[in-house]
């Protein structure tokens, strides 16, 4: 009986390790993607905010297209679109901060 508990405990720890590793990768990917977006959108010294907004729109359109290809649920589509908009918002804000 103790061996069974030990095996279950070990499996739970392994599952938690996997979740932690996945969460860590997501954090890194978010940082890299926001940084890459910010660099890609800032194409010159006189950055063109309309070009950056156009790129952001293209990314959201592509998210919708990919969701169509994958046949995801409406809830998943909304979550993906919202997430893309948050990432884009952070990138845009870092490039073009709003004066207070």
């Amino acid at each position: 009986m103790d061996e069974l508990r030990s095996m279950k405990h070990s499996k739970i720890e392994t599952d938690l390790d996997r979740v932690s590793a996945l969460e860590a990768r997501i954090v890194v990917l978010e940082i890299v993607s926001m940084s890459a977006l910010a660099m890609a959108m800032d194409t010159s010294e006189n950055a063109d905010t309309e070009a950056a907004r156009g790129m952001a729109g293209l990314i959201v359109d592509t998210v919708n297209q990919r969701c169509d290809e994958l046949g995801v649920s409406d809830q998943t589509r909304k979550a993906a679109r919202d997430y893309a908009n948050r990432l884009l918002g952070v990138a845009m804000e870092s490039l073009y901060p709003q004066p207070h």
Side-chain angles (χ1 to χ4, degrees):
M1 192 67 149
D2 287 337
E3 190 175 317
L4 181 60
R5 281 191 190 131
S6 178
M7 287 173 46
K8 284 183 181 179
H9 184 71
S10 178
K11 180 172 176 6
I12 290 170
E13 285 181 354
T14 301
D15 290 345
L16 288 175
D17 290 344
R18 288 180 182 155
V19 169
S20 294
L22 183 59
E23 288 174 338
R25 287 179 180 194
I26 290 170
V27 168
V28 171
L29 289 172
E30 286 178 342
I31 293 166
V32 170
S33 64
M34 284 184 286
S35 300
L37 281 168
M39 286 187 274
M41 290 177 169
D42 190 17
T43 56
S44 70
E45 286 184 15
N46 300 322
D48 183 353
T49 59
E50 288 307 310
R53 291 185 202 292
M55 185 183 294
L58 179 62
I59 290 169
V60 173
D61 289 345
T62 304
V63 167
N64 285 321
Q65 179 181 351
R66 186 68 175 138
C67 287
D68 286 342
E69 292 169 2
L70 295 172
V72 300
S73 69
D74 289 342
Q75 182 178 1
T76 299
R77 176 187 303 274
K78 181 182 180 326
R81 194 172 40 239
D82 290 350
Y83 186 63
N85 283 322
R86 281 197 311 272
L87 287 176
L88 290 163
V90 170
M92 293 291 283
E93 181 62 28
S94 70
L95 287 172
Y96 313 110
Q98 300 295 321
H100 298 333

